[in-house]
Amino acid sequence: MEPDIDLENKQISNAYRGLLRSIQVELSNEDKRFIRKAFNTSVEAHKNARRKSGEPFIYHPIAVARICAEEIGLGKTSVACALLHDTVEDTHITLDDIHELFGVKVRKIIDGLTKISGVFDYTSSQQIENFRKMLLTLPDDVRVILIKLADRLHNMRTLDSMARDKQLKIASETSYLYAPLAHRLGLYAIKSELEDLSLKYTEPEVYEEIQRKLNKTKDVRARFIRKFSIPIKQELSDSGLKFTIKGRPKSVYSIWNKIHNKKVAFEEIYDVFAIRIIIDSELHMEKADCWRAYAIVTDHYRPNPERLRDWISHPKQNGYESLHTTVMSPTGKWVEVQIRTERMDEIAEKGLAAHWKYKKNIQAIGREPQQIGIDVWIDKIRELLENKDDNAIDFMDELKLSLYAKEIFVFTPTGELRTLPSRATALDFAFEIHSEVGAKCIGAKVNHKLVPLSYELKSGDQIEVITSEKQNPKEAWLSFVVTSKAKSKIKSVLDEERKRVVADGKEILERKLRNIKVAFDDANVQELLKLYKLTDHSDLYYQIAKGKVDFKKIKPIVIKGGRLKHGSITRTIKESFESLIDRVSGKKEELILGEGDGFDYKLSPCCNPIPGDEVFGFITIRDGIKVHRNTCPNAKQLLANYAYRIIKTRWKNQKILEFKSKIKITGIDDIGLVHKITNTISKDMNVNIKSLKFETEDGVFEGDILLLIHDTEHLSGLISELNLIEGIKRVERVEIMSE
Ligand code: MN
């Protein structure tokens, strides 16, 4: 279809008039003639050109010029340059023509814009640095960068008509270079529009999805903000402030960024609320009014002391002024509150445009003259670009905070503030809430994420304690709690618990001894202590109650009259054991295991001997020689009844063969612990795992691992290695039950 030229011409002059109206600086007649000349030159140069969308090309330079004027606040030179920005690159017009028509200043800017378009075709991240250097050395005038940003913004707004591959290239370039640049220059509105637009083209489905969810939750969020605002609104009005409160919708991009980088769900981000209180304030009252509003907000809602930012006393380098705080709502949600005046709000959104608007007023009260005037402002941009450490203010904030790092401030799910010493863990927090909560604590959610009890808290964390009726304080807890409250409570519970166990053990022993007609008295208990190699009565009772005492050992030491006698009996057994072996094997012949000497033997599955164990051989009727450990539960019975079938046996030093052995590991369940264990076993110690089984209950895990190892030395090396792993409470060799 033929375009309607008359209609187009009408639209073009409308667009041009709109551009003139959007200029926020006063223009002399000469300025107006200058801009008109630039417009005419551009119209003439581009007259036959059309954009991909089919519309006359001139729409584009007009739109770019309008962004420069309206959204960045630039004046006549920039507007003229924006109108001309594509002429040298795309048309017959030369730089000399531009020089002749508009003078050297415009020539330089157009020259810069033409050269820069090549620079923007980056291929690697190294280009970022080159780009920065180019920005510094190439354009004499930083207006080049601002016009380039406006150019890119308009291209992004009209990206629909481009081919898909071009869309992708332009969009990713935008998020990579232009959005950060806009951010650095304090052009927040442009920055977030660029980010949203680039996401729309690089991740269209994600963009749509977030957009859809935002729309769906709009009402809920609006209701929350309304409710949250009621009490502050009332009091702000009562105190005579003129203000508006706005919910601050997050940009699609910023939500995506959080989902992407912090790996959290949309549902956990969308309800991170932010409101903005914008005060209509007299220039000389700005600071006082903002702090008055701050006082009112924090009277109603408790602020997170770590999240106060005063960019009014110290504006950001890009001119941003505002007061930020984060407060806890009654429902336990964090709400970021930004407090600023209308002037500050406009500067924050528009950057330079607002500076122009307020220039005269600020001059009138003689405040911060360095913040006004386009040349000074542009110098500031140059400074910003030259300053590598662009987070100087943030860095100072961090530094100040770290000076007060001896204490941390954390929150309950309902928003109650708790102060804890630094390095406090989730478990300390649980005990801080209540000692019963601590005692039953099996884990916690910090900022919605599940963490182990030993998780070290940071200021601002919000913690939800998870408890279980089955939980009881563990000895291992003492190794990571830091508050004395937690420590003493854990100790006292452990003591109580131990006392109860000891009492049980004592009863069990009394009963056992009564059954075999042995007196339960001090002398006999002393003999038992010797037998089990313990020093303390309560230790003995404790072990008994925990089922760790083998009562079978008692019988052999019973001597008449209900007396126990340990010492000599063992010697007897040991002597007879060894002498029996000697006697039986007679010829001093030994079975040497691990040597290919023709002996047909098997390692008995009842005790799974491994090299290094003290062992003996037992001649079976049909199964050749079986090797048992001296400590095998069957040893005594075999010795007593079949002494003549026993063969003296020892291991040959060798490390070639592998033997089955089983260990039991207990500890506190922790993410990655199983990995660490298996890693230690198979990598560090070079041991083969035959099978493993882990079970976790209430955060305590128990693991049974069947290993193939060389000898006892090898095994004890592994056990001590495993004991070094954090979270492991005990590693022990256990009998292999089956087979
Ligand atoms: Mn352009």
Side-chain angles (χ1 to χ4, degrees), residues 552 606-607 629 631-637 735:
K552 287 192 196 115
C606 59
C607 57
R629 285 157 71 182
T631 56
C632 175
N634 299 321
K636 274 181 222 110
Q637 183 248 337
E735 299 297 332

Side-chain angles (χ1 to χ4, degrees), residues 543-708:
Q543 302 278 355
I544 288 170
K546 289 279 173 188
K548 289 191 181 131
V549 162
D550 182 7
F551 283 110
K552 287 192 196 115
K553 284 186 183 171
I554 296 182
K555 260 200 176 140
I557 68 165
V558 180
I559 50 173
K560 48 188 168 321
R563 304 289 345 140
L564 294 176
K565 191 75 187 148
H566 174 50
S568 60
I569 305 280
T570 348
R571 214 176 314 121
T572 319
I573 287 181
K574 231 181 163 177
E575 275 169 16
S576 65
F577 193 82
E578 277 165 8
S579 64
L580 257 174
I581 293 171
D582 271 349
R583 205 173 62 234
V584 170
S585 53
K587 318 135 227 169
K588 285 235 178 274
E589 195 170 345
E590 279 186 328
L591 171 59
I592 299 176
L593 302 175
E595 198 165 63
D597 57 0
F599 270 115
D600 176 25
Y601 68 87
K602 280 186 180 148
L603 301 176
S604 174
C606 59
C607 57
N608 277 282
I610 59 170
D613 283 334
E614 281 184 65
V615 289
F616 64 92
F618 183 77
I619 303 159
T620 64
I621 309 219
R622 262 166 301 216
D623 222 8
I625 300 164
K626 279 209 170 165
V627 177
H628 294 263
R629 285 157 71 182
N630 285 7
T631 56
C632 175
N634 299 321
K636 274 181 222 110
Q637 183 248 337
L638 293 174
L639 176 76
N641 301 321
Y642 310 100
Y644 58 94
R645 283 160 68 179
I646 280 165
I647 298 180
K648 200 172 178 183
T649 303
R650 68 174 172 89
W651 298 93
K652 184 188 190 305
N653 271 344
Q654 45 80 31
K655 293 199 189 276
I656 305 139
L657 295 175
E658 287 183 318
F659 299 87
K660 261 196 272 177
S661 183
K662 192 172 174 186
I663 55 172
K664 184 185 266 318
I665 301 179
T666 44
I668 302 303
D669 191 23
D670 190 9
I671 296 156
L673 191 54
V674 171
H675 174 73
K676 277 183 228 159
I677 291 169
T678 52
N679 222 30
T680 301
I681 295 174
S682 56
K683 281 223 188 83
D684 299 358
M685 297 298 295
N686 202 19
V687 175
N688 283 323
I689 299 173
K690 268 212 86 179
S691 73
L692 76 170
K693 193 179 82 194
F694 283 102
E695 267 172 6
T696 302
E697 207 195 331
D698 290 349
V700 178
F701 88 86
E702 231 180 65
D704 284 335
I705 309 176
L706 196 58
L707 303 164
L708 290 176

Side-chain angles (χ1 to χ4, degrees), residues 43-257:
V43 169
E44 174 60 24
H46 295 296
K47 71 168 178 276
N48 294 321
R50 288 190 177 267
R51 306 196 79 205
K52 281 265 154 41
S53 58
E55 62 185 15
F57 188 85
I58 189 69
Y59 286 7
H60 169 64
I62 296 173
V64 173
R66 184 162 178 162
I67 292 170
C68 286
E70 195 171 40
E71 296 176 55
I72 312 181
L74 298 170
K76 75 155 192 216
T77 311
S78 306
V79 168
C81 289
L83 286 168
L84 295 164
H85 80 272
D86 279 327
T87 54
V88 173
E89 202 178 344
D90 296 344
T91 76
H92 61 276
I93 301 239
T94 64
L95 268 181
D96 288 338
D97 296 337
I98 297 284
H99 193 161
E100 205 174 296
L101 287 163
F102 302 98
V104 68
K105 203 155 65 174
V106 174
R107 181 205 170 111
K108 277 187 175 166
I109 292 173
I110 300 297
D111 187 25
L113 283 165
T114 309
K115 281 184 187 155
I116 221 172
S117 60
V119 180
F120 273 83
D121 285 322
Y122 70 96
T123 48
S124 71
S125 63
Q126 181 57 39
Q127 288 297 111
I128 280 275
E129 191 50 33
N130 292 342
F131 170 74
R132 205 177 67 91
K133 280 189 196 136
M134 287 296 264
L135 289 179
L136 285 171
T137 54
L138 191 134
D140 284 328
D141 199 317
V142 183
R143 275 174 286 199
V144 170
I145 299 163
L146 299 173
I147 296 166
K148 193 72 206 172
L149 269 175
D151 184 23
R152 175 53 56 120
L153 181 57
H154 186 247
N155 284 336
M156 286 301 293
R157 284 174 182 170
T158 54
L159 204 55
D160 261 343
S161 46
M162 297 296 260
R164 181 71 185 135
D165 63 324
K166 277 268 174 66
Q167 285 180 344
L168 277 174
K169 183 176 180 293
I170 293 170
S172 48
E173 211 174 68
T174 299
S175 67
Y176 194 50
L177 280 181
Y178 291 83
L181 189 61
H183 178 79
R184 236 189 243 208
L185 302 183
L187 303 166
Y188 286 108
I190 290 180
K191 172 216 165 199
S192 56
E193 191 179 344
L194 285 175
E195 284 174 342
D196 274 9
L197 285 169
S198 71
L199 187 66
K200 184 177 161 187
Y201 289 99
T202 53
E203 306 265 2
E205 290 91 13
V206 179
Y207 181 87
E208 290 302 321
E209 170 83 354
I210 295 174
Q211 188 80 277
R212 194 178 55 74
K213 282 183 173 171
L214 274 177
N215 285 337
K216 230 174 83 184
T217 54
K218 214 169 162 182
D219 293 344
V220 183
R221 283 179 290 134
R223 251 198 320 278
F224 176 86
I225 292 297
R226 213 158 41 236
K227 217 171 145 197
F228 178 86
S229 307
I230 290 169
I232 351 179
K233 259 186 178 162
Q234 186 57 48
E235 207 166 320
L236 286 169
S237 304
D238 290 350
S239 76
L241 289 169
K242 277 181 274 170
F243 64 93
T244 50
I245 293 185
K246 287 197 254 179
R248 196 167 59 86
K250 289 188 157 300
S251 73
V252 176
Y253 178 86
S254 70
I255 289 173
W256 171 81
N257 199 32

Side-chain angles (χ1 to χ4, degrees), residues 447-501:
N447 307 326
H448 305 297
K449 272 191 182 157
L450 202 60
V451 299
L453 295 175
S454 58
Y455 179 84
E456 216 172 273
L457 299 171
K458 291 185 300 297
S459 264
D461 280 346
Q462 188 174 19
I463 304 112
E464 186 189 336
V465 176
I466 304 165
T467 58
S468 160
E469 267 314 304
K470 287 191 207 152
Q471 179 69 304
N472 281 309
K474 305 280 182 295
E475 193 124 23
W477 290 6
L478 291 169
S479 66
F480 58 78
V481 293
V482 299
T483 54
S484 47
K485 188 173 178 183
K487 272 187 183 159
S488 60
K489 179 65 188 176
I490 294 168
K491 274 185 190 155
S492 82
V493 174
L494 287 175
D495 284 349
E496 271 170 43
E497 149 90 345
R498 190 182 157 86
K499 268 182 210 155
R500 212 173 43 245
V501 174

